[in-house]
Amino acid sequence: MGRMKPPEGSCPWSAADPLLKEYHDREWGVPQHDDRVLFEHLLMESMSCGLSWLLMLRKRRCFARNFSRFDYAQVAGYDEATVARIMADPEMIHAERKVRAVVDNARRFLDVRREFGSFAAYVWSFTDGRTVIYPAYQKQRLTRSALSDAFSGDLRRRGFKFVGTVSMFSFLEACGMINDHLHGCFRCGETRALNKTVIVADPDAPWIVGK
């Protein structure tokens, strides 16, 4: 990708639609420690494979309605009849493999909670509780990094599905583990003030937990 000109007051992609602007201004890059919110973002990222994030935001109410308002414990208990009901919803994204992956991921989500106490503790263990900042993002928008590679690989090892490194890079950005607001964006300073940070000059450098 080519160089991006610094925006005037906001990240350029947020200007494409009012939903994107609201998401950018209120959520994107805010450090998240609520497991239900983390499950919501994991669900949306898994559903977004091959689709746009704007479509995910437009389907958010549909996802909430069909997946128990992102209550992972309830979703983990879904049976075949529930999957069939979800697939029958005309507003739902009709990708049965993804719907089943959401249910499977909810079960793996519970496994992680049992091991770490919370999914948030697991997620933030990858950065020792800090938010990563990539200076390279200011010149060329990144879609993956060694961190997202490591996170994606560990999720897949644990049995999670539809959690490729590109999707998980987006997840880490969304949940504030990676802060990629451009320097000219009004949210840059606001979100960075919410957590201690670590500067990573080379996004491809082998990722070491807590470095």
Side-chain angles (χ1 to χ4, degrees):
M1 296 177 65
R3 289 175 177 268
M4 295 192 302
K5 295 177 64 175
E8 295 183 359
S10 190
C11 296
W13 58 264
S14 67
D17 188 273
L19 269 180
L20 288 173
K21 184 179 186 306
E22 181 179 11
Y23 172 70
H24 168 274
D25 292 357
R26 296 185 179 183
E27 297 182 63
W28 196 62
V30 175
Q32 287 292 344
H33 297 271
D34 184 316
D35 275 6
R36 188 177 288 216
V37 175
L38 291 171
F39 180 71
E40 176 185 2
H41 279 281
L42 189 68
L43 182 156
M44 291 173 70
E45 291 294 349
S46 65
M47 294 296 293
S48 74
C49 291
L51 303 170
S52 73
W53 190 249
L54 178 57
L55 178 61
M56 296 305 101
L57 294 176
R58 288 172 174 166
K59 294 290 185 182
R60 208 169 191 175
R61 291 184 179 179
C62 174
F63 293 152
R65 181 175 69 248
N66 281 288
F67 295 106
S68 301
R69 303 197 64 80
F70 310 111
D71 185 328
Y72 42 84
Q74 289 192 41
V75 175
Y78 283 5
D79 56 16
E80 289 296 316
T82 308
V83 171
R85 175 185 58 75
I86 294 172
M87 291 301 301
D89 187 333
E91 294 185 27
M92 188 62 190
I93 293 172
H94 293 127
E96 187 172 343
R97 287 181 62 226
K98 290 182 178 180
V99 171
R100 291 186 180 279
V102 169
V103 178
D104 287 340
N105 287 350
R107 293 165 184 165
R108 304 293 80 76
F109 197 94
L110 292 179
D111 292 340
V112 169
R113 280 175 52 84
R114 281 188 284 268
E115 181 177 349
F116 289 84
S118 69
F119 193 79
Y122 164 71
V123 169
W124 286 97
S125 71
F126 281 84
T127 62
D128 198 26
R130 294 174 290 179
T131 293
V132 173
I133 296 173
Y134 293 115
Y137 190 91
Q138 302 298 316
K139 297 180 179 180
Q140 178 174 316
R141 189 170 179 181
L142 305 175
T143 58
R144 54 149 297 279
S145 68
L147 171 58
S148 67
D149 290 349
F151 182 56
S152 169
D154 196 70
L155 287 173
R156 284 181 289 166
R157 180 181 65 80
R158 294 173 179 276
F160 287 81
K161 301 174 181 177
F162 289 97
V163 289
T165 186
V166 173
S167 294
M168 290 305 97
F169 188 89
S170 179
F171 171 86
L172 296 174
E173 287 179 305
C175 299
M177 284 187 64
I178 296 174
N179 191 321
D180 279 334
H181 283 285
L182 299 186
H183 287 161
C185 176
F186 79 99
R187 287 291 284 162
C188 179
E190 292 178 356
T191 51
R192 290 184 183 184
L194 298 175
N195 193 30
K196 54 188 177 181
T197 61
V198 56
I199 305 297
V200 178
D202 183 359
D204 289 318
W207 185 258
I208 301 175
V209 175
K211 72 176 181 179

